[in-house]
């Protein structure tokens, strides 16, 4: 998608509240405004729980220029030396980058003609099939990898790194592999940092003050995004403009604060599930990034809105029935992309076999938008409130703006909800169980191992 001149454009996201009427009133907004303003001030002043992880707040302008130059140089080196680029990471270590690449370049970016290497993501599952398929893709091709992990000891990416590091060392030798391995990790400590320094890999920093799900606009996301040939300057500019636009405490005109306010009002009224809906398949991974952002940030202390997502019109033929007439505990946030450079019209069929000649000559964008409008009215009439976020396009600038919009809204919404939006203590539970079952040599797991064995023996 062309990005000419996008660094000059400043078009803010607009929140359309038409389809929340009857569910949320201005009186409701007025009543919650003091809480929202207090939450915003808590975020901006760094006085709340989790304040050690607020680096994302000013990151669009406050970043290491020297490291950013190295990110760009490394990306150019990767683009010039490999056919396949593998990003190894899990959660925020890969979702942001993948969501950005698909948002801007489409979900078929690897098969479309372009000037970038194919980009794949590994280390986000433990599937032998997934790894085997990627190894097959690498056969006969030049490969570079970027492992993203703060500690280097998270199971999924650590295992993938072993496998693909071995592939590179076998193919290029230890010295040759060194030039094709790029590591994004802690600045000065951790097993991966130690290993990288020992082996001479080029490293980039996972900031101490930014959690994984907020890290896409750091080297965690920017290196893979730059390898894809996307304008990262424009992306940071979009986020920087959003920082100025949405940092003001005027809830009457601040779409970001109104979004945070409305979702909390709906939650207090029994709407415990939020569905992020988009009408472009290229938005699917953005939805996955959004689900991690809000799921990890708000789902704690037995509180939180459950984040789900759909891609319409596809999912109207699977989940549409439930949304229309199922349990009325949900609301939707719809992403409305106003402009597309792709213009395809429906051809005429002289025989009109499908009875759709009334669509002849109409562009698919018009039909898709009509489907969105029709669905908004249908779901609204079925008792589902809808917020519509209107964004101008799928450019790098807009991606940066949208990311910052949701990150700030998440911090404000989390504090309004009464939780720490920057920790995730619950994610360790499954890891401890898994390590115990796999026999990790750790005395602190012995009791858990025995208890799990007993439970597993029960009928």
């Amino acid at each position: 998608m062309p990005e000419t001149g996008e660094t000059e454009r400043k078009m803010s996201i607009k929140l359309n509240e038409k389809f929340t009427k009857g569910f949320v009133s201005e009186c409701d907004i007025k009543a919650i405004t003091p809480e929202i303003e207090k939450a915003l001030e808590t975020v901006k002043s760094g006085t709340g729980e989790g304040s050690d992880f607020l680096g994302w707040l000013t990151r669009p302008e406050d970043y290491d220029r020297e490291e950013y130059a190295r990110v760009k140089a490394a990306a150019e080196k990767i683009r010039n030396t490999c056919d396949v680029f593998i990003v190894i990471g899990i959660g925020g270590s890969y979702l942001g980058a993948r969501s950005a690449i698909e948002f801007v370049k489409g979900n078929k970016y690897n098969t479309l003609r372009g000037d970038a290497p194919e980009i794949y993501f590994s280390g986000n599952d433990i599937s032998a099939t997934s790894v085997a398929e990627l190894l097959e893709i690498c056969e006969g091709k030049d490969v570079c990898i970027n492992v993203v992990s703060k500690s280097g000891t998270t199971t999924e990416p650590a295992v993938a790194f072993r496998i693909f590091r071995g592939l590179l060392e076998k193919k290029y030798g230890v010295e040759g592999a060194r030039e094709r391995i790029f590591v994004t990790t802690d600045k000065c400590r951790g097993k991966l940092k130690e290993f990288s320094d020992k082996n001479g890999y080029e490293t980039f920093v996972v900031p101490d003050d930014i959690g994984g799900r907020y890290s896409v606009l750091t080297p965690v996301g920017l290196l893979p995004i730059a390898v894809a040939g996307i304008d990262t300057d424009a992306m940071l500019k979009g986020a920087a403009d959003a920082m100025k636009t949405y940092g003001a405490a005027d809830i009457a005109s601040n779409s970001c604060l109104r979004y945070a306010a409305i979702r909390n009002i709906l939650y207090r009224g029994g709407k415990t599930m939020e569905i992020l809906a988009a009408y472009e398949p290229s938005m699917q991974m953005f939805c996955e990034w959004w689900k991690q952002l809000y799921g990890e940030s708000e789902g704690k202390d037995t509180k939180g809105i459950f984040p789900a997502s759909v891609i319409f019109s596809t999912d109207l033929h699977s989940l549409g029935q439930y949304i229309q007439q199922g349990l009325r505990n949900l609301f939707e946030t719809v992403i409305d992309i106003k402009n597309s450079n792709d213009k395809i019209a429906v051809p005429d069929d002289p025989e009109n076999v499908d009875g759709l000649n009334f669509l002849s000559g109409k562009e698919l964008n018009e039909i898709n938008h009509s489907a969105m409008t029709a669905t908004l009215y249908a779901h609204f009439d079925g008792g589902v409130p809808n917020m519509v976020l209107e964004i101008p396009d799928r450019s790098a600038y807009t991606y940066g703006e949208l990311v910052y919009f949701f990150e700030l809204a998440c911090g404000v919404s989390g504090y309004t909800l009464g939780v720490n939006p920057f920790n995730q203590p619950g994610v360790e539970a499954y890891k401890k169980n898994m390590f115990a079952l796999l026999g990790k040599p750790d005395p602190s797991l012995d009791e858990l191992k025995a208890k799990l064995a007993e439970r597993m023996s029960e009928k």
Side-chain angles (χ1 to χ4, degrees):
M1 177 172 292
E3 301 179 19
T4 304
E6 66 182 354
T7 56
E8 302 301 321
R9 175 176 51 75
K10 296 182 182 181
M11 182 175 178
S12 295
I13 297 161
K14 179 183 177 183
L15 178 64
N16 182 341
E17 301 173 26
K18 177 179 180 178
F19 297 95
T20 65
K21 296 188 185 304
F23 298 97
V24 177
S25 68
E26 279 303 317
C27 288
D28 295 326
I29 298 285
K30 184 176 181 180
I32 204 173
T33 292
E35 294 179 63
I36 295 294
E37 290 177 344
K38 180 181 178 182
L40 176 63
E41 178 57 28
T42 300
V43 171
K44 292 173 68 175
S45 65
T47 55
E49 286 187 293
S51 59
D52 290 344
F53 292 94
L54 283 169
W56 58 270
L57 191 63
T58 58
R59 184 73 186 194
E61 291 184 343
D62 183 17
Y63 58 90
D64 185 332
R65 265 62 178 177
E66 184 276 330
E67 182 181 41
Y68 182 47
R70 287 198 302 111
V71 165
K72 287 183 171 182
E76 193 61 27
K77 177 181 178 181
I78 292 165
R79 286 165 59 81
N80 291 330
T81 57
C82 75
D83 306 305
V84 173
F85 179 53
I86 300 173
V87 182
I88 298 172
I90 196 167
S93 295
Y94 93 100
L95 278 173
R98 186 170 178 183
S99 73
I101 294 169
E102 295 196 11
F103 182 97
V104 177
K105 304 198 75 171
N107 62 348
K108 299 178 181 65
Y109 64 91
N110 275 336
T111 52
L112 292 172
R113 193 174 302 167
D115 62 349
E118 296 174 25
I119 302 174
Y120 297 95
F121 295 85
S122 186
N124 48 71
D125 57 49
I126 321 176
S127 165
T129 300
S130 177
V131 173
E133 290 172 346
L134 190 47
L135 288 170
E136 185 175 345
I137 287 171
C138 292
E139 289 180 6
K141 297 178 180 178
D142 283 317
V143 181
C144 293
I145 64 176
N146 171 213
V147 58
V148 186
S149 175
K150 193 164 182 64
S151 66
T153 59
T154 302
T155 305
E156 294 90 340
V159 168
F161 184 39
R162 284 191 181 196
I163 293 169
F164 288 102
R165 185 177 75 248
L167 170 71
L168 293 188
E169 291 179 349
K170 181 178 180 181
K171 185 178 179 70
Y172 302 105
V174 174
E175 294 294 324
R178 177 181 298 121
E179 298 302 312
R180 293 177 174 272
I181 296 174
F182 301 83
V183 178
T184 311
T185 189
D186 191 90
K187 183 177 183 178
C188 56
R189 61 182 181 273
K191 295 295 184 181
L192 184 55
K193 174 60 176 172
E194 293 173 10
F195 186 76
S196 300
D197 289 346
K198 177 183 175 182
N199 287 276
Y201 304 143
E202 183 167 9
T203 61
F204 303 96
V205 176
V206 178
D208 285 335
D209 59 352
I210 301 178
R213 58 190 180 274
Y214 291 86
S215 68
V216 61
L217 299 179
T218 74
V220 169
L222 291 176
L223 177 58
I225 293 167
V227 171
I230 294 170
D231 187 346
T232 52
D233 289 344
M235 191 171 288
L236 289 170
K237 182 65 162 58
D241 287 347
M243 183 172 68
K244 298 181 182 72
T245 300
Y246 304 120
D250 182 9
I251 197 168
S253 60
N254 189 323
S255 293
C256 179
L257 297 186
R258 290 185 75 85
Y259 169 70
I262 290 171
R263 63 195 307 276
N264 274 276
I265 291 166
L266 292 170
Y267 175 69
R268 294 173 186 184
K271 304 294 186 182
T272 58
M273 177 187 294
E274 179 178 10
I275 300 175
L276 187 67
Y279 283 74
E280 288 290 345
S282 60
M283 290 288 294
Q284 183 169 351
M285 292 310 299
F286 183 88
C287 291
E288 295 300 318
W289 170 83
W290 175 87
K291 285 192 288 190
Q292 184 196 5
L293 178 66
Y294 280 83
E296 278 196 351
S297 296
E298 293 191 330
K300 56 200 69 165
D301 302 336
T302 66
K303 299 176 182 178
I305 300 168
F306 183 83
S309 66
V310 290
I311 299 295
F312 289 154
S313 64
T314 304
D315 289 333
L316 287 173
H317 297 263
S318 56
L319 294 174
Q321 170 62 41
Y322 187 94
I323 296 171
Q324 187 69 45
Q325 294 182 325
L327 190 64
R328 301 295 77 183
N329 68 331
L330 54 89
F331 65 96
E332 292 174 277
T333 298
V334 179
I335 306 291
D336 178 12
I337 303 170
K338 305 305 290 184
N339 301 299
S340 171
N341 290 330
D342 300 310
K343 309 292 183 184
I344 298 179
V346 177
D348 188 65
D349 179 5
E351 298 185 23
N352 197 24
V353 174
D354 50 22
L356 294 178
N357 268 359
F358 68 95
L359 296 179
S360 297
K362 291 185 183 294
E363 291 189 359
L364 291 184
N365 288 326
E366 178 187 354
I367 298 170
N368 200 28
H369 195 269
S370 293
M372 183 194 75
T373 303
T375 304
L376 282 167
Y377 279 109
H379 290 180
F380 177 75
D381 292 342
V384 180
N386 275 254
M387 286 184 280
V388 182
L389 286 177
E390 299 174 355
I391 66 174
D393 50 36
R394 284 176 35 228
S395 64
Y397 178 98
T398 296
Y399 180 87
E401 184 182 16
L402 192 59
V403 160
Y404 196 89
F405 177 100
F406 277 124
E407 288 179 345
L408 181 59
C410 187
V412 171
S413 184
Y415 281 140
T416 302
L417 181 66
V419 300
N420 175 354
F422 306 115
N423 68 352
Q424 56 279 342
V427 300
E428 297 301 319
Y430 94 89
K431 294 180 183 179
K432 289 181 180 179
N433 284 350
M434 181 177 69
F435 289 148
L437 290 173
L438 290 172
K440 181 178 180 178
D442 184 343
S444 68
L445 295 175
D446 290 346
E447 183 179 351
L448 177 59
K449 188 186 304 183
K451 287 182 178 179
L452 286 172
E454 182 180 350
R455 292 175 68 182
M456 291 170 65
S457 67
E458 295 174 353
K459 292 184 179 180

